[in-house]
Amino acid sequence: MGAIIRMNESLLNESLLIDMLKCARCGKCRALCPSFKENKWETSSARGRVLLSLGLMQNKIPMTKRLISDIFSCFICKQCSELCPSAVDVPRIIENTRTLIHKKGLTPSPIQLILDNLDESKNIFNMDQEDRLLWTMNVEELIENRICKPAEIGFFVGCLESFKGSLGVIPEALILIMDALKIDFTILGEEEWCCGNPYFIAGDSRHIANQFAEHNIQKMAALKVKTVVTTCPGCYRVWSSIYPVIYGTLPFQILHSTQLLAQLIAKGELQITNLLPQKIVFQDPCELGRHCGVYDAPRKILSTIPNVRLFDFENSRENSECCGGGGLVKAVHPNLAKLQCQNKIKQYLSNKIDQIITACPSCLDNYLTSLESNPETLTIKDLHELIAELLDLL
Amino acid sequence: MNKAKLTDLLSTIFDEKSYSTDEAVLFAYSMDVSIHEYVPDAVVLPENRDQVVQLVKLAHTYNIPLIPRGSGTGASGGAIAVHGGIIVDFTKMNKILNLDIENLQVTVESGVIHADLNKYLEQFGFFFPVIPGSSDMCSIGGMVGNSASGLRAVKYGTTKDYVLDLEVVLPDGKIGNLGSSVQKTASGYDLIRLFVGSEGTLGIITKITLKILPIPEARGVVSGFFNDVEQIGKAVVNIFTAKIIPAAIELLDKSAIQAINLYKPTMNLPDAEAMLLVELDGTKESVISITKKVYHILKENGAFQTEMTTKDEERQKLWNARKLVGAAARRVRDGYARVYEGEDITVPLSKIAKTLLKLRELSQEFNLPIVVFGHIGDGNLHPAILIQKNNPEHWEKLNQLSEKIHEFAIEIGGTVTGEHGIGLTRAKYLQKERPIVLELMRKIKKAIDPKNIMNPGKMDLDGGYNSNE
Ligand SMILES: Cc1cc2nc3c(=O)[nH]c(=O)nc-3n(C[C@H](O)[C@H](O)[C@H](O)COP(=O)(O)OP(=O)(O)OC[C@H]3O[C@@H](n4cnc5c(N)ncnc54)[C@H](O)[C@@H]3O)c2cc1C
Ligand code: SF4
Ligand code: SF4
């Protein structure tokens, strides 16, 4: 999808039109689409959104409020294209339609606000960049001499984990693990800008998104890092699949933190001996799994925990449904995001799961809010936090 | 009727989340899987029968066409609004109402998705054995509307063999139950069979009672790859003459095999002129023995590679790929799309090889790829034509090609549709294929729906309203 940014407009339109025309309208994606399962209207299904996009592109329909609302009720979860027999890249089509909406200045206001925040403050919350280090409170001494210092690994923290208090435990846990394993790492601190993901997901195709890419890449390159690690799957997707399209080959490799930890386990450098006598499930984050193909790394980590029962069922891995936190849906349709999460919680409860583990700040955030109203025993935990706890670091 | 008035009327029946006259929404409901495109005036998503009754009364009063719609996976243009009107989308009426195991039946609302029903029944060891390729997507109402069949029709028959009762809202708003809850009845005309396959032209179906069967204890699959299509016909005949009734016998031609490999690369099927996929079911012992028998029959009849399995997972993988091969067909030619035209012919079993050769000839003549697969056990072939949709010349060729396919089917004693229905796509052939039947159908339609508000413009039935009979 990052390719959208660079392509000449008429070539882009032609390639998108060909993609839309490939659709046989078989409805397989409609049956899978999580927002359709809730809303029940054709227009809130993957197939329906392809038709809306086609209608717009062929100038057959106006850009109605309803169309905009339905285009922004897509989680960009990629479940549709994963199984599309005709190989239609539905999320790419939807993101382009979001671009058409943005160009007309009709992007829903809660999302436009996020974009304005980015333009102004380089982060989604419109906070001061100095506040990017608020999450480091408990690990201050471990990082004070590492900020913007040359190192092997550059840890890119991301806006959600930096600014949202309830999610600060994710980077904190990774820092503790890396420090315990004597890994040479750095962070950008105030110099870190948002990865730019909201621009891409909202279809904001202005050049400004490229500036974010160039800034972050150059900062990391200046520190001569060999690897950039992110804990956020959204940042990971942007760094690994969109930045190279904007910038060309990057001077370092990109890893999601679960890949790093899995490598350390494989090398015998990370060992977990504490027991976890629980039945757990891994919530595959869409941007890590279907978008980037990372399914095994988190499972390799979790399956080394003694006594754990890691449960994969038919709705796991490639078939895992979005938690409801994707596609910026939460900003425009908070209820839909919550209902989707509650559906997932129901599935887990019926499978008698003790704990959901994820490796994504958006998933964690959405589950935390949805579980609040759920009196059951089910809990959610970030994978890094779990590992840090099992290593007695937290 | 103008939009404001229509909106006012609909708002007396539906809450604002259940109807729409938004232009973008209407466009999304202007198509099904067929090549046709007609924009309706409104779309409604009823949640219960009472809303349907009120809607029908309104439509009857104001002469507004009503077009029932399940999931819009029909391939004949059945669920689209040729003369405008209101699309009645049954997605929200998706409850399984009653399972009566003692009497081997289940009652559902029309919008229940086929795969959801079978998933539900599976817990109790039962199933509704008609399995269309669109199982994950299509509704039971749509299956009844089109008299759908599917992969296991050879042994289990089609939808019409399983419908025990239908609750129907007739065009004047009266509600009627057309069948009975017992397994058979000789009480009066068989109106169930009339409504199954009526494609929404006689009334709106709100509730369906289906006969269900116990899931067989075991299943086996044999696949055979052939380099000579003539041998396939012989192999099929020899399976039957060996007194074996398979649950399914499916055929995939060279390009369909290629499409599966492109869609699911892990399948890694060998290159062959054609593949036969035979499913057997029954008790464990019988399945093991007939699976072996079929394995040998395919071998003896020229299959250069034959495989068999009774493992559920492997079997399921094969069927999952087979089910979507139609939509995956486009993968064999870059830049081309699959169009549903000429895609549902059924020919006498003895003419299958001839038909396959004819299709190959036509593909060459028109220089358009045709991917062929189908339920060979009942002679139902699905030639999937591929075209470049943004090439006007291809549309022109498509018209001629589908015409030739249909005419060929009729010529050799077959039919233009085995399971997808007449709708709009095949309306013009009914007169030629079954003139007397069409005449009677028109009379019946006019008697039940004198105002022609139920899905007008389909099945060549409008002609009946032009005469004074
Ligand atoms: C990939 C793919 C594979 C397929 N495989 C098969 C197959 O193996 N076998 C097969 O038979 N078909 C197959 N089909 C065609 C199609 O799925 C079937 O015809 C199916 O039954 C249509 O169901 P639907 O819910 O989508 O109905 P729709 O397309 O929405 O409607 C079909 C017809 O039924 C009428 N209808 C719908 N609901 C009602 C109602 N409540 N009351 C009255 N009339 C109603 C409509 O007006 C219309 O005329 C396939 C299609 C695809 C895309
Ligand atoms: S699964 Fe693919 S071909 Fe089928 S309706 Fe969706 S986008 Fe179209
Ligand atoms: S990306 Fe997800 S939510 Fe969006 S259309 Fe596809 S399946 Fe539906």
Side-chain angles (χ1 to χ4, degrees):
Chain A
M1 67 169 220
I4 285 177
I5 312 155
R6 275 284 160 102
M7 244 192 197
N8 151 313
E9 201 165 313
S10 70
L11 276 182
L12 169 67
N13 286 344
E14 200 181 308
S15 90
L16 282 162
L17 186 63
I18 288 177
D19 221 23
M20 292 178 213
L21 294 176
K22 274 198 271 186
C23 168
R25 297 195 287 278
C26 71
K28 177 75 186 169
C29 58
R30 179 182 182 267
L32 293 165
C33 177
S35 57
F36 171 71
K37 282 183 195 162
E38 274 311 320
N39 284 342
K40 309 271 192 282
W41 279 86
E42 182 73 33
T43 48
S44 61
S45 77
R47 179 178 70 179
R49 293 188 183 101
V50 173
L51 288 177
L52 291 179
S53 305
L54 182 68
L56 266 188
M57 184 155 285
Q58 295 180 328
N59 288 322
K60 287 183 176 169
I61 48 171
M63 198 178 276
T64 64
K65 263 195 195 150
R66 173 67 186 269
L67 177 147
I68 295 169
S69 170
D70 284 328
I71 290 292
F72 280 93
S73 68
C74 163
F75 297 110
I76 314 283
C77 70
K78 218 169 178 262
Q79 214 172 341
C80 43
S81 48
E82 184 73 24
L83 279 177
C84 168
S86 305
V88 179
D89 189 346
V90 183
R92 174 171 174 260
I93 292 169
I94 293 169
E95 282 182 354
N96 182 65
T97 304
R98 289 183 175 191
T99 299
L100 301 180
I101 294 169
H102 185 262
K103 282 186 175 159
K104 286 214 162 172
L106 295 173
T107 300
S109 51
I111 293 183
Q112 189 53 50
L113 183 69
I114 297 175
L115 303 177
D116 294 344
N117 289 347
L118 279 188
D119 285 6
E120 201 176 312
S121 321
K122 317 299 179 216
N123 65 68
I124 56 175
F125 296 105
N126 206 10
M127 305 262 282
D128 283 342
Q129 278 291 91
E130 290 119 60
D131 295 339
R132 270 209 182 260
L133 287 167
L134 283 178
W135 63 273
T136 62
M137 249 177 336
N138 303 329
V139 284
E140 221 166 328
E141 69 284 10
L142 299 185
I143 58 157
E144 59 192 358
N145 295 324
R146 295 181 188 265
I147 301 170
C148 282
K149 295 280 159 58
E152 288 275 310
I153 283 182
F155 172 28
F156 187 85
V157 186
C159 298
L160 273 174
E161 296 173 28
S162 299
F163 293 105
K164 193 153 185 178
S166 54
L167 306 174
V169 67
I170 305 173
E172 184 183 325
L174 183 66
I175 296 285
L176 288 168
I177 299 168
M178 289 200 292
D179 179 69
L181 298 180
K182 311 231 170 326
I183 289 171
D184 177 25
F185 69 89
T186 179
I187 61 170
L188 295 181
E190 292 168 23
E191 297 291 338
E192 180 178 305
W193 287 7
C194 172
C195 66
N197 204 11
Y199 287 131
F200 306 116
I201 294 184
D204 181 346
S205 60
R206 291 171 305 145
H207 189 72
I208 191 162
N210 296 19
Q211 287 170 17
F212 278 62
E214 278 161 21
H215 169 88
N216 286 327
I217 294 166
Q218 279 162 9
K219 287 288 166 195
M220 285 293 186
L223 300 177
K224 307 233 167 350
V225 302
K226 294 210 175 83
T227 306
V228 169
V229 171
T230 79
T231 34
C232 168
C235 299
Y236 174 67
R237 178 175 73 105
V238 168
W239 275 90
S240 61
S241 9
I242 301 185
Y243 282 3
V245 180
I246 296 173
Y247 196 87
T249 311
L250 304 182
F252 32 68
Q253 67 161 335
I254 312 294
L255 286 183
H256 185 256
S257 44
T258 53
Q259 293 173 309
L260 174 72
L261 297 183
Q263 285 179 4
L264 293 167
I265 287 176
K267 283 195 243 162
E269 290 172 27
L270 171 58
Q271 280 167 0
I272 304 160
T273 48
N274 281 345
L275 314 182
L276 184 69
Q278 280 190 343
K279 183 174 177 186
I280 62 168
V281 71
F282 182 69
Q283 159 71 52
D284 286 279
C286 306
E287 287 184 294
L288 190 62
R290 272 186 300 271
H291 281 271
C292 295
V294 179
Y295 298 106
D296 293 334
R299 288 177 170 77
K300 273 189 188 141
I301 303 165
L302 294 171
S303 56
T304 59
I305 303 172
N307 269 17
V308 84
R309 279 172 298 145
L310 176 60
F311 180 68
D312 265 338
F313 62 127
E314 57 174 340
N315 286 359
S316 298
R317 296 181 66 102
E318 288 85 351
N319 298 329
S320 173
E321 273 182 17
C322 178
C323 69
L328 296 171
V329 171
K330 225 173 146 180
V332 199
H333 301 288
N335 247 352
L336 176 62
K338 197 166 175 181
L339 282 170
Q340 173 57 17
C341 197
Q342 282 167 346
N343 284 340
K344 296 228 58 173
I345 291 171
K346 268 187 222 148
Q347 282 177 27
Y348 292 146
L349 284 171
S350 70
N351 282 294
K352 303 217 166 16
I353 299 295
D354 298 316
Q355 183 154 235
I356 312 160
I357 306 296
T358 189
C360 169
S362 289
C363 295
L364 183 63
D365 195 34
N366 210 29
Y367 273 107
L368 286 172
T369 354
S370 305
L371 280 168
E372 265 169 22
S373 50
N374 206 306
E376 313 282 343
T377 48
L378 188 63
T379 52
I380 168 96
K381 187 163 281 180
D382 168 64
L383 179 142
H384 312 85
E385 185 185 1
L386 174 73
I387 302 300
E389 278 176 2
L390 291 169
L391 295 173
D392 297 322
L393 299 170
L394 257 177
Chain B
M1 181 180 298
N2 72 39
K3 188 165 160 172
K5 173 95 197 272
L6 184 59
T7 310
D8 272 357
L9 289 171
L10 293 176
S11 68
T12 62
I13 306 174
F14 300 98
D15 68 44
E16 57 177 11
K17 281 192 176 159
S18 299
Y19 73 93
S20 178
T21 53
D22 178 279
E23 276 179 80
V25 172
L26 300 182
F27 179 73
Y29 282 88
S30 66
M31 294 172 234
D32 58 5
V33 172
S34 72
I35 60 170
H36 304 287
E37 185 181 321
Y38 290 92
V39 182
D41 297 307
V43 180
V44 297
L45 270 66
E47 289 177 36
N48 54 54
R49 187 191 65 189
D50 288 350
Q51 284 181 330
V52 177
V53 172
Q54 287 181 59
L55 177 73
V56 173
K57 285 185 176 158
L58 183 149
H60 190 254
T61 308
Y62 294 96
N63 282 326
I64 307 170
L66 293 175
I67 304 91
R69 173 174 161 123
S71 305
T73 69
S76 67
I80 56 178
V82 182
H83 298 309
I86 304 170
I87 298 267
V88 192
D89 177 342
F90 274 87
T91 306
K92 285 188 181 172
M93 286 184 63
N94 63 350
K95 287 191 264 320
I96 296 171
L97 299 169
N98 184 37
L99 171 64
D100 180 356
I101 291 183
E102 272 179 35
N103 289 305
L104 294 175
Q105 54 193 261
V106 66
T107 301
V108 299
E109 287 183 329
S110 300
V112 167
I113 299 298
H114 178 271
D116 293 345
L117 174 62
N118 267 347
K119 208 167 177 188
Y120 169 79
L121 292 173
E122 195 184 348
Q123 309 167 62
F124 306 94
F126 284 82
F127 76 140
F128 166 41
V130 183
I131 317 277
S134 48
S135 163
D136 288 341
M137 300 86 94
C138 73
S139 68
I140 303 294
M143 288 183 72
V144 172
N146 276 353
S147 186
S149 73
L151 309 174
R152 298 199 177 117
V154 196
K155 179 166 179 177
Y156 292 102
T158 71
T159 303
K160 62 163 92 72
D161 302 313
Y162 291 86
V163 181
L164 295 173
D165 198 6
L166 291 176
E167 178 186 84
V168 177
V169 182
L170 294 165
D172 56 4
K174 277 199 200 96
I175 307 165
N177 273 69
L178 302 183
S180 143
S181 56
V182 288
Q183 292 279 330
K184 62 182 196 180
T185 170
S187 167
Y189 285 171
D190 188 348
L191 295 188
I192 294 278
R193 288 220 166 204
L194 174 63
F195 270 71
V196 179
S198 63
E199 301 186 11
T201 60
L202 298 178
I204 298 188
I205 299 158
T206 44
K207 217 194 265 183
I208 300 158
T209 301
L210 295 168
K211 183 162 85 177
I212 53 172
L213 293 180
I215 298 174
E217 190 182 38
R219 288 197 173 112
V221 166
V222 187
S223 53
F225 297 86
F226 295 79
N227 273 331
D228 179 353
V229 288
E230 299 273 1
Q231 288 170 327
I232 285 196
K234 283 190 200 126
V236 172
V237 172
N238 284 334
I239 292 173
F240 288 124
T241 50
K243 298 193 173 56
I244 295 168
I245 305 177
I249 315 184
E250 293 290 301
L251 164 96
L252 294 116
D253 81 346
K254 192 182 182 75
S255 51
I257 297 171
Q258 200 189 343
I260 287 199
N261 279 336
L262 289 166
Y263 178 40
K264 299 275 175 199
T266 51
M267 303 287 305
N268 203 11
L269 302 174
D271 183 24
E273 281 304 307
M275 169 186 183
L276 267 191
L277 204 54
V278 187
E279 186 180 74
L280 298 314
D281 64 10
T283 60
K284 264 185 201 145
E285 299 78 47
S286 70
V287 165
I288 291 173
S289 109
I290 48 175
T291 302
K292 279 187 193 151
K293 265 193 200 162
V294 170
Y295 176 88
H296 290 296
I297 293 173
L298 298 195
K299 253 192 152 154
E300 282 153 18
N301 283 276
F304 68 83
Q305 186 175 326
T306 316
E307 279 157 28
M308 61 179 166
T309 178
T310 48
K311 286 194 190 124
D312 251 9
E313 203 178 317
E314 283 174 32
R315 206 176 44 75
Q316 209 53 53
K317 258 197 227 158
L318 268 172
W319 284 122
N320 285 346
R322 156 59 193 93
K323 276 186 192 164
L324 290 174
V325 66
R330 66 147 292 279
R331 291 185 186 240
V332 306
R333 186 76 64 92
D334 245 8
Y336 281 62
R338 195 244 155 131
V339 278
Y340 287 75
E341 272 284 303
E343 87 295 346
D344 191 35
I345 54 171
T346 301
V347 299
L349 293 186
S350 56
K351 303 276 171 54
I352 283 174
K354 189 174 172 181
T355 310
L356 290 173
L357 294 173
K358 177 72 181 181
L359 288 169
R360 191 166 296 176
E361 203 183 290
L362 287 172
S363 168
Q364 275 159 7
E365 184 186 333
F366 284 86
N367 195 21
L368 288 178
I370 307 182
V371 177
V372 187
F373 58 95
H375 319 302
I376 188 172
D378 49 30
N380 190 186
L381 292 176
H382 296 311
I385 304 174
L386 309 186
I387 65 164
Q388 289 172 322
K389 280 191 184 164
N390 46 4
N391 181 343
E393 197 196 319
H394 278 197
W395 284 105
E396 185 48 43
K397 281 208 246 176
L398 172 70
N399 272 338
Q400 295 167 18
L401 174 55
S402 78
E403 187 117 10
K404 287 211 169 177
I405 294 174
H406 287 140
E407 271 165 8
F408 176 77
I410 297 173
E411 221 171 83
I412 61 167
T415 167
V416 293
T417 176
E419 56 187 21
H420 291 174
I422 292 288
L424 204 52
T425 303
R426 285 166 274 267
K428 62 179 173 192
Y429 300 104
L430 204 49
Q431 178 71 47
K432 189 164 184 181
E433 195 183 305
R434 308 170 82 194
I436 298 296
V437 171
L438 178 62
E439 194 186 316
L440 289 173
M441 278 169 60
R442 285 176 168 175
K443 285 183 181 156
I444 294 169
K445 163 79 172 164
K446 209 170 156 187
I448 296 179
D449 181 18
K451 289 182 148 191
N452 197 17
I453 58 165
M454 286 309 313
N455 209 357
K458 306 289 162 65
M459 296 176 124
D460 203 8
L461 291 169
D462 284 4
Y465 293 87
N466 302 331
S467 69
N468 294 322
E469 283 166 50

